[in-house]
Amino acid sequence: METYRAFHRRSLEDRDAFWSEQAKLIDWHRPCDQVLDYSRPPFARWFVGGRTNLCHNAVDRHLEARGGQKALVYISTETGEARSFTYRELHLEVCKAAAMMKALGVGKGDRVIVYMPMIPQAVFAILACARLGAIHSVVFGGFAAASLAARIDDARPALMVTADGGSRMGKPVLYKSLVDESLRLATHAPKKVLLFNRGLDPNLTWVRDRDVDWKNAEKDISSATVGCEWLESNEPSYILYTSGTTGRPKGVQRDVGGYAVALASSMKHIFCGQAGETMFTTSDIGWVVGHSYIIYAPLIAGMTTILYEGVPIRPDAGIWWKIVEQEKVSVMFSAPTAIRVLKKQDPSYLKKHDISSLRHLFLAGEPLDEPTHKWISEALGKPVIDHYWQTETGWPLLSAMPGVEKTPLKMGSPSFPVYGYDVRLLHEGTAEQVADGEKGVVTIQPPLPPGCMSTVWGDDERFVKTYFGGFRGRHVYSTFDWGIRDRDGYYFILGRTDDVINVAGHRLGTREIEEAVNMHPNVAECAVVGVQDALKGQMPLAFAVLKDPGKGTSTQEVMETVDRQLGAIARPKAVHFVTLLPKTRSGKTLRRSIQALAEGRDPGDLTTIEDPGALEQIRQAIQEEKR
Ligand code: ATP
Ligand code: MG
């Protein structure tokens, strides 16, 4: 572990030299005057005075050496389409999109809402914004009209780019009426809407003088070349709203230079992706993982990136591995929630395809429980790397870094602090660092490294108050997650700070209990929440999805599994079997809503929920328990 340790130490102790070296991984139109300006804590300004452009680094700079290489491979198992674009073709498409936007009045600093399904035009639009110096704000396609309107009013866009619809499980998800509705609801609706018509909506309607047909507009400017706007490193590149698991979404604002450098360096040191190779990230462009690792990072690295529109089990549970085989994927990035979906399927699909090109599978987004980590590692016979980050950080903050050193993996652990991050586990009350083996809040001693959020869009005060206000006036960035570090220096994430259960004075993380429930061989996934209890203060309540519901697994067996792992203190008051857990559209369990239902309260804002039927099952289970 010495190589990693020295690397990490140097990133903090010799910070400026370390990051100026990393900065060489990207192209600069003008080099910076100062590596870091930290004169106004906690605001960190990286590569001050440097000028660069994200689109140039993702596209233009590769034209000479790899213009004929595939840049973007689009595969839709929803519509059956498959297309690829070389770097040269991508450049042309992005220039056309930029020219269209320019013609619609978009310029540097203007916001553009991108509300798009997983189609190449979404990538063109996003890169076109970067090219023009416009600030994109991608909103996950399928968010309800009210959520979209709230984001429109916060960002005040000059333009909205959308499509007639997306598709899920072979069924069209129509966007347009929802877009119209959101623009009616919004106070700061954009004057123009650029719409790419995929032909999914036979009743598509156009609003005169507002809606512009992408395909028509494109015809007028087919030979356009639009140059890259050279931006000062700290100018905003995009706004991305957090997924809203814990409340009102925050507009995370990111810079240009720091973000590009962080992503480029992460491809080298963490993901080990090289120019000419292929990366497959199964997320959505509407989430931070999609921004960083479907679009920007693999392209900055000169790789081929896969844009997959579809689910992991259609046409069958082997589709991902088929893509890996076909495209010779070497780096893959997914989420624990998707792996748990696969766990419920026939495991033989994992063996059907030749995945020898694959070096690592990276997983992030939710705690990766030990049984699932083990299951997928063994099934694939490849290293599966759990890594931990947030929309706010933009790239991993805890991870193994095989590009630095191949440290051994521990199941259930995202390994170590990534270089640049001064991670500390702090005691909630005293704000002192906790000892190894003790729970603490995962915090970062500022300045935050390059790539992290620069502020909350339009609200510096909210940025400082929300993230840096928790520890007695000291400027410490809080992740609002609990963690623990073992004697070997490995970190484990125990769940969110508001997901702690207090049973008769014992503080238990929901994650620990979930992990124990998952130890039962027939449990595919579960959610544990704390509910009020007259006697003990709080009691855990478990909802579990079984791999095979026909096996006759009893709730008693599951409780005994918990007893064996954690002791009777953690034993759930009840275990309910459901077929589905309520999740956000980004795959995060809505524990807050489950808890509210269990305590007879209103489940709160549910606009981000994936399938409302899941909450209905929870409601019924709780009613039955009361009877
Ligand atoms: P909001 O902040 O609006 O409530 P959110 O926190 O769900 O939404 P994201 O930024 O997408 O939005 O999620 C980051 C969170 O996901 C982390 O703070 C952590 O709770 C969880 N997470 C991400 N990766 C991991 C991981 N590898 N292990 C455990 N938890 C993880
Ligand atoms: Mg969060």
Side-chain angles (χ1 to χ4, degrees):
M1 247 161 264
E2 280 321 300
T3 311
Y4 152 70
R5 284 213 180 101
F7 194 76
H8 183 258
R9 203 177 312 120
R10 182 159 174 262
S11 75
L12 300 181
E13 288 172 5
D14 198 5
R15 187 179 58 209
D16 287 12
F18 179 91
W19 284 110
S20 18
E21 254 165 50
Q22 302 303 315
K24 294 192 184 117
L25 293 168
I26 68 156
D27 277 7
W28 293 89
H29 182 66
R30 181 191 186 280
C32 70
D33 303 312
Q34 194 184 354
V35 175
L36 172 67
D37 168 16
Y38 196 54
S39 58
R40 193 168 70 101
F43 298 91
R45 290 162 45 79
W46 287 96
F47 309 113
V48 183
R51 290 197 167 264
T52 186
N53 180 288
L54 278 164
C55 184
H56 167 85
N57 276 287
V59 184
D60 299 47
R61 74 159 170 162
H62 302 303
L63 290 176
E64 204 178 335
R66 50 189 77 255
Q69 178 198 309
K70 281 193 251 179
L72 179 70
V73 172
Y74 169 56
I75 300 168
S76 174
T77 51
E78 294 291 335
T79 62
E81 275 170 274
R83 268 196 82 177
S84 63
F85 300 84
T86 62
Y87 271 98
R88 212 172 290 121
E89 288 163 339
L90 178 62
H91 178 253
L92 182 69
E93 297 294 342
V94 172
C95 281
K96 280 198 280 184
M100 277 192 278
M101 288 184 186
K102 223 170 141 178
L104 292 171
V106 175
K108 184 182 157 183
D110 288 336
R111 275 80 59 208
V112 174
I113 297 263
V114 178
Y115 183 74
M116 295 277 264
M118 290 281 283
I119 56 175
Q121 287 70 25
V123 178
F124 306 156
I126 288 166
L127 290 170
C129 288
R131 195 166 189 88
L132 295 172
I135 302 167
H136 56 74
S137 184
V138 185
V139 177
F140 177 72
F143 262 137
S147 322
L148 183 53
R151 286 158 173 82
I152 290 172
D153 280 339
D154 195 62
R156 305 189 177 195
L159 174 73
M160 175 143 155
V161 187
T162 188
D164 54 334
S167 178
R168 201 171 155 78
M169 301 290 273
K171 287 195 202 83
V173 181
L174 301 182
Y175 286 8
K176 187 54 190 345
S177 56
L178 196 149
V179 164
D180 290 343
E181 170 72 10
S182 75
L183 295 180
R184 260 194 302 276
L185 291 173
T187 314
H188 301 283
K191 295 215 165 48
K192 294 285 177 191
V193 173
L194 181 60
L195 188 146
F196 185 82
N197 185 8
R198 311 173 71 186
L200 292 176
D201 184 356
N203 304 314
L204 186 67
T205 55
W206 299 81
V207 174
R208 278 250 321 265
D209 300 328
R210 187 197 72 188
D211 298 349
V212 177
D213 184 343
W214 178 302
K215 289 177 186 164
N216 269 341
E218 198 176 42
K219 280 185 205 139
D220 303 338
I221 35 109
S222 54
S223 65
T225 49
V226 178
C228 288
E229 180 80 33
W230 298 111
L231 300 170
E232 199 278 333
S233 178
N234 293 280
E235 290 185 86
S237 57
Y238 69 70
I239 308 165
L240 177 60
Y241 294 88
T242 59
S243 40
T245 312
T246 55
R248 186 163 69 98
K250 301 163 278 278
V252 168
Q253 177 181 322
R254 218 171 302 284
D255 69 358
V256 176
Y259 185 50
V261 170
L263 292 184
S265 87
S266 74
M267 290 312 291
K268 183 173 171 192
H269 303 301
I270 302 174
F271 296 96
C272 303
Q274 281 158 31
E277 294 183 340
T278 302
M279 180 157 187
F280 178 18
T281 299
T282 70
S283 181
D284 188 281
I285 50 158
W287 310 125
V288 67
V289 174
H291 282 62
S292 293
Y293 295 104
I294 294 176
I295 304 178
Y296 287 116
L299 294 177
I300 288 173
M303 298 178 76
T304 304
T305 187
I306 293 178
L307 183 73
Y308 174 62
E309 182 183 40
V311 296
I313 51 169
R314 228 178 133 261
D316 62 49
I319 179 64
W320 280 0
W321 319 110
K322 188 176 167 198
I323 293 173
V324 170
E325 176 174 27
Q326 196 178 295
E327 302 299 329
K328 300 204 169 45
V329 172
S330 55
V331 189
M332 190 163 165
F333 186 153
S334 189
T337 177
I339 303 302
R340 292 188 199 109
V341 168
L342 294 182
K343 228 169 141 186
K344 285 180 264 182
Q345 309 290 319
D346 179 354
S348 71
Y349 282 114
L350 292 162
K351 300 276 175 215
K352 269 201 180 138
H353 298 278
D354 174 8
I355 59 164
S356 55
S357 59
L358 192 65
R359 223 175 283 127
H360 300 106
L361 169 63
F362 288 86
L363 299 175
E366 273 268 273
L368 175 62
D369 57 286
E370 196 183 317
T372 303
H373 198 172
K374 240 196 198 130
W375 176 81
I376 187 71
S377 306
E378 283 165 11
L380 295 179
K382 300 280 178 185
V384 174
I385 298 185
D386 178 16
H387 62 312
Y388 160 86
W389 49 300
Q390 311 185 294
T391 306
E392 289 86 345
T393 65
W395 64 295
L397 99 95
L398 294 176
S399 184
M401 286 147 268
V404 177
E405 186 185 356
K406 289 189 181 49
T407 50
L409 297 172
K410 274 196 194 184
M411 296 292 125
S413 163
S415 299
F416 317 115
V418 167
Y419 53 91
Y421 290 95
D422 190 354
V423 178
R424 316 247 173 118
L425 294 177
L426 300 186
H427 187 280
E428 200 182 12
T430 65
E432 296 298 324
Q433 292 198 59
V434 298
D436 288 350
E438 270 177 42
K439 284 179 219 174
V441 180
V442 182
T443 67
I444 308 166
Q445 185 63 36
L448 297 178
C452 291
M453 76 188 288
S454 15
T455 186
V456 170
W457 171 253
D459 200 344
D460 282 355
E461 203 184 310
R462 190 172 175 206
F463 173 65
V464 180
K465 256 206 187 132
T466 307
Y467 296 104
F468 293 87
F471 290 91
R472 307 174 165 214
R474 270 169 48 201
H475 275 153
V476 181
Y477 173 88
S478 177
T479 62
F480 301 104
D481 287 309
W482 287 104
I484 199 164
R485 186 180 50 226
D486 72 8
R487 233 184 282 136
D488 304 325
Y490 286 78
Y491 283 69
F492 293 80
I493 299 295
L494 303 176
R496 296 165 191 258
T497 48
D498 54 2
D499 281 344
V500 165
I501 307 179
N502 198 329
V503 186
H506 297 270
R507 293 169 64 72
L508 302 161
T510 51
R511 157 110 199 242
E512 291 172 276
I513 308 174
E514 287 174 4
E515 186 105 16
V517 172
N518 283 331
M519 288 285 177
H520 188 284
N522 197 28
V523 169
E525 62 174 336
C526 73
V528 170
V529 297
V531 290
Q532 274 164 19
D533 182 87
L535 208 61
K536 295 188 173 165
Q538 272 187 312
M539 281 284 279
L541 189 60
F543 297 86
V545 178
L546 295 177
K547 285 183 197 159
D548 179 359
K551 263 197 181 147
T553 302
S554 72
T555 60
Q556 184 65 23
E557 273 172 56
V558 175
M559 289 193 191
E560 282 164 10
T561 312
V562 175
D563 288 358
R564 274 196 300 279
Q565 301 296 326
L566 297 172
I569 183 76
R571 165 184 275 240
K573 177 179 173 183
V575 177
H576 297 288
F577 296 131
V578 290
T579 60
L580 186 75
L581 292 172
K583 290 189 181 171
T584 62
R585 291 170 195 265
S586 53
K588 293 166 192 294
T589 309
L590 281 161
R591 294 185 187 78
R592 189 172 46 98
S593 305
I594 302 178
Q595 185 187 37
L597 278 183
E599 293 184 341
R601 287 178 287 116
D602 180 61
D605 178 14
L606 293 173
T607 48
T608 65
I609 195 167
E610 166 82 29
D611 183 345
L615 219 52
E616 201 37 52
Q617 285 197 31
I618 304 277
R619 209 189 299 264
Q620 279 170 15
I622 290 164
Q623 268 165 14
E624 267 160 40
E625 184 188 319
K626 287 210 178 105
R627 274 190 232 125

